[in-house]
Amino acid sequence: MLVPLPRWIAHRGGGSLAPENTLAGIRLAARLGFRAVEFDVMLSGDGTPVLIHDETLERTTSGRGPVATTSDAILFALDAGGGERIPRFAEAAALCRELGLLANVEIKPASGYERPTAEAVGRLTAELWRGAPVQPLLSSFSLEALEIARDLAPEIERGVLFEAVPANWLSEIQRLQAVSLHCDGDLLTDPVLAEARGQGIPVLCYTVNAPEKAIALFGRGVSALFTDRLDLFPPATTAYKGLHLGG
Ligand code: G3P
Ligand code: MG
């Protein structure tokens, strides 16, 4: 099943227009015409995969302390902004399926929880999107997590996520049998981009919120951009020529 890779991916659900990593954000992205969303998935203290970026609750919720030691009973009673709850990963998956959105599921393990997070998210991703016409794309800064996901759910495509791309990126992509290279758009070098393009590997850059940066990166040959500025960048409705993700 080939799924065209959209050129624009709404970052953390609804970017800066909605509380991050919430169902309201995902709905908003779809309403604005985005065809892909990225969100971060971490385990709660009960081992439930939930959407949240930070290891601690303070910045994005009404709660306090580490996500990894907070029970579901406490976590799901918190306000994640604008009256939104922290979503279960399963709820976000159902919503993406319903809306026909491509989900970039970033496995975001709290430090020391790489294995259980990757196992839970890998297994659940395969289960939640079984038979779906638009398949998700897993990614992570944790190469260990991607390795575990590869072994548990090989049928789900993977993207390798870096800040600055290291010298051994290609061998890591090959080892992880990943399909895409994700990196900080400010740190992407021409040699890396040229090599990726030569290998037919799409490069996806985060987090691009300025039009001049978007124009420059697309002009250099980057395939897709993660943005918080859903208001600034009306997403392209055509697939990026020749690039496809999915089984
Ligand atoms: O997956 C791209 C981007 O989300 C990575 O950075 O910190 O926003 O998860 P971060
Ligand atoms: Mg992320």
Side-chain angles (χ1 to χ4, degrees):
M1 219 170 310
L2 293 177
V3 175
L5 173 64
R7 277 162 61 91
W8 290 103
I9 302 166
H11 186 231
R12 302 186 192 175
S16 54
L17 290 187
E20 71 177 50
N21 286 311
T22 61
L23 298 183
I26 293 172
R27 276 195 202 96
L28 180 65
R31 206 156 56 234
L32 293 175
F34 280 75
R35 291 163 50 238
V37 289
E38 181 263 5
F39 50 78
D40 308 291
V41 183
M42 196 179 292
L43 295 187
S44 73
D46 288 324
T48 304
V50 298
L51 269 59
I52 195 159
H53 179 275
D54 297 2
E55 290 197 26
T56 51
L57 293 161
E58 279 82 349
R59 184 180 62 83
T60 58
T61 79
S62 54
R64 295 175 60 187
V67 176
T69 56
T70 302
S71 69
D72 288 355
I74 292 174
L75 208 67
F76 295 129
L78 299 175
D79 187 340
E84 285 292 301
R85 274 192 307 103
I86 294 175
R88 285 180 170 77
F89 174 42
E91 295 173 297
L95 184 58
C96 287
R97 285 193 63 164
E98 179 193 322
L99 298 171
L101 288 169
L102 187 155
N104 175 200
V105 178
E106 185 187 334
I107 307 172
K108 189 75 105 182
S111 183
Y113 291 81
E114 286 77 8
R115 175 163 287 280
T117 309
E119 286 181 353
V121 177
R123 281 210 184 91
L124 208 48
T125 302
E127 201 178 294
L128 293 168
W129 271 274
R130 191 158 293 136
V134 181
Q135 286 289 304
L137 174 66
L138 288 171
S139 64
S140 189
F141 287 110
S142 165
L143 301 183
E144 182 189 350
L146 288 175
E147 194 176 331
I148 292 163
R150 175 201 63 195
D151 294 343
L152 277 178
E155 71 275 29
I156 304 295
E157 305 275 28
R158 289 162 301 287
V160 179
L161 185 47
F162 296 112
E163 290 179 3
V165 178
N168 66 343
W169 70 270
L170 185 55
S171 61
E172 285 300 294
I173 281 208
Q174 288 164 344
R175 181 176 71 81
L176 294 162
Q177 297 166 309
V179 298
S180 52
L181 173 64
H182 306 202
C183 67
D184 184 331
D186 289 335
L187 304 176
L188 174 65
T189 64
D190 284 332
V192 165
L193 183 56
E195 193 174 11
R197 283 164 64 81
Q199 297 281 341
I201 297 170
V203 177
L204 287 64
C205 289
Y206 67 87
T207 304
V208 179
N209 294 330
E212 63 276 13
K213 282 192 183 174
I215 291 164
L217 286 165
F218 280 138
R220 288 167 65 195
V222 165
S223 295
L225 301 178
F226 299 89
T227 188
D228 294 316
R229 294 300 305 271
L230 276 55
D231 52 332
L232 269 188
F233 300 116
T237 49
T238 51
Y240 192 64
K241 212 176 172 184
L243 290 173
H244 295 281
L245 296 169

